[in-house]
Amino acid sequence: MNPEDEAECAKLANAFAYYLDRNMGKELGALFTEDGEFKRPGLVVKGRAEFLAWTGKRQTDAETRHIAAAPVFISGDDKTAKSVSYFTAYRARKTGAPLPEYEGPVGIAEYHDDYRKTEEGWRIARRKVFLVMTPPARSEAD
């Protein structure tokens, strides 16, 4: 895989966090192949129409940010590639305060991505989330 192709795939990976955090389903789906799939614990989204439906159902009373590291490409050629990247997810409830407050990351995980070169250029064919760390459970008294 050449450096230009890696850069194009890395742009897709970074755009995912931006579009997800803003519930931009059409743009999020366009990062994927027509049959593209996103999997995380408790969720499978497949195909561009499902991305639009999923983001329309996401919480509107919360602010999220996904802070992702650059992907490391573990294999690739001129038509397919695989990468792994780390990310930390933050979530805060909107309370009407000037800025939402958060108590720390909700988790640290890895994205395992499969890319495919299409007529539209490189697209994510599959993105799977593997949880690596979670914060300790909070008691009701907290």
Side-chain angles (χ1 to χ4, degrees):
M1 184 173 203
N2 66 50
E4 292 83 15
D5 288 342
E6 283 189 8
E8 191 174 341
C9 291
K11 283 174 69 174
L12 297 169
N14 290 332
F16 180 89
Y18 180 84
Y19 295 143
L20 179 62
D21 289 337
R22 287 157 181 81
N23 289 327
M24 298 170 70
K26 182 178 177 184
E27 293 83 355
L28 188 67
L31 301 174
F32 286 78
T33 58
E34 288 287 339
D35 62 345
E37 182 178 79
F38 173 66
K39 286 185 174 184
R40 71 169 195 218
L43 176 74
V44 176
V45 179
K46 187 165 182 155
R48 292 178 175 172
E50 285 190 20
F51 279 99
L52 190 57
W54 169 51
T55 55
K57 295 179 203 170
R58 289 185 79 224
Q59 293 177 332
T60 57
D61 65 336
E63 189 74 36
T64 63
R65 287 297 181 268
H66 292 76
I67 312 302
V72 173
F73 289 88
I74 54 177
S75 67
D77 55 35
D78 61 342
K79 298 202 186 301
T80 63
K82 292 182 179 289
S83 74
V84 175
S85 56
Y86 301 142
F87 76 95
T88 304
Y90 294 85
R91 183 179 308 126
R93 293 272 173 235
K94 294 179 181 176
T95 62
L99 289 174
E101 295 180 359
Y102 70 96
E103 293 192 23
V106 294
I108 298 172
E110 295 177 358
Y111 288 130
H112 289 223
D113 294 329
D114 294 332
Y115 299 92
R116 187 181 325 137
K117 192 156 195 180
T118 70
E119 291 179 6
E120 300 171 296
W122 284 95
R123 294 292 181 264
I124 303 168
R126 181 177 172 190
R127 171 165 266 201
K128 188 169 183 184
V129 174
F130 290 90
L131 294 176
V132 178
M133 296 177 210
T134 61
R138 296 183 50 167
S139 71
E140 291 297 316
D142 287 345

